[in-house]
Amino acid sequence: VQLQASGGGLVQAGGSLRLSCAASGRTFSMGWYRQAPGKEREFVAVISWSSGVTDYRDSVKGRFTISRDNAKNTVYLQMNSLKPDDTAVYYCAAARSNYVRPVVPRMDYWGKGTQVTVSS
């Protein structure tokens, strides 16, 4: 399975961006992760393809929304009220196992990252 992420860019604090991730094959759940300079990669959001159940890291709850388009095999991450702390390379990922709360499955496939920069 190949994943193609797009939609990153430069935005001012308080602005919005939408990331997209198109998958070449079918998986059971997909997620977004991010890695800021000098920091470890961290979980951002996950969604189950079948149920649509989602989960988020605490710092993005209420601001980010993950969604899916089954027909297009594409997952989106709508990011609103962006903060400078959201600046990072964002990666989409996919798992061969389903997401069932509260355990985020191990991701089996990773896309190339897309840079998101939020200026203050």
Side-chain angles (χ1 to χ4, degrees):
V1 174
Q2 294 184 331
L3 305 175
Q4 182 65 48
S6 60
L10 172 64
V11 65
Q12 289 188 331
S16 299
L17 283 174
R18 189 177 81 156
L19 306 182
S20 300
C21 180
S24 64
R26 193 55 185 241
T27 58
F28 288 90
S29 53
M30 287 187 69
W32 287 97
Y33 289 72
R34 67 187 182 186
Q35 187 168 20
K39 296 186 177 180
E40 293 186 354
R41 186 167 58 191
E42 62 185 20
F43 164 77
V44 176
V46 65
I47 188 167
S48 163
W49 275 114
S50 58
S51 67
V53 170
T54 61
D55 200 8
Y56 303 87
R57 70 179 298 104
D58 286 346
S59 62
V60 307
K61 286 180 179 177
R63 300 189 297 122
F64 290 12
T65 302
I66 188 171
S67 61
R68 78 215 193 279
D69 184 328
N70 291 49
K72 295 182 178 180
N73 231 22
T74 299
V75 169
Y76 305 96
L77 185 68
Q78 178 67 43
M79 305 184 293
N80 298 328
S81 302
L82 282 161
K83 305 175 181 179
D85 284 348
D86 295 317
T87 295
V89 176
Y90 283 69
Y91 299 89
C92 68
R96 293 193 295 261
S97 54
N98 198 18
Y99 167 59
V100 179
R101 287 180 177 152
V103 181
V104 177
R106 181 181 66 91
M107 296 295 164
D108 300 294
Y109 308 100
W110 292 86
K112 293 182 179 179
T114 183
Q115 178 70 45
V116 171
T117 303
V118 184
S119 62
S120 57

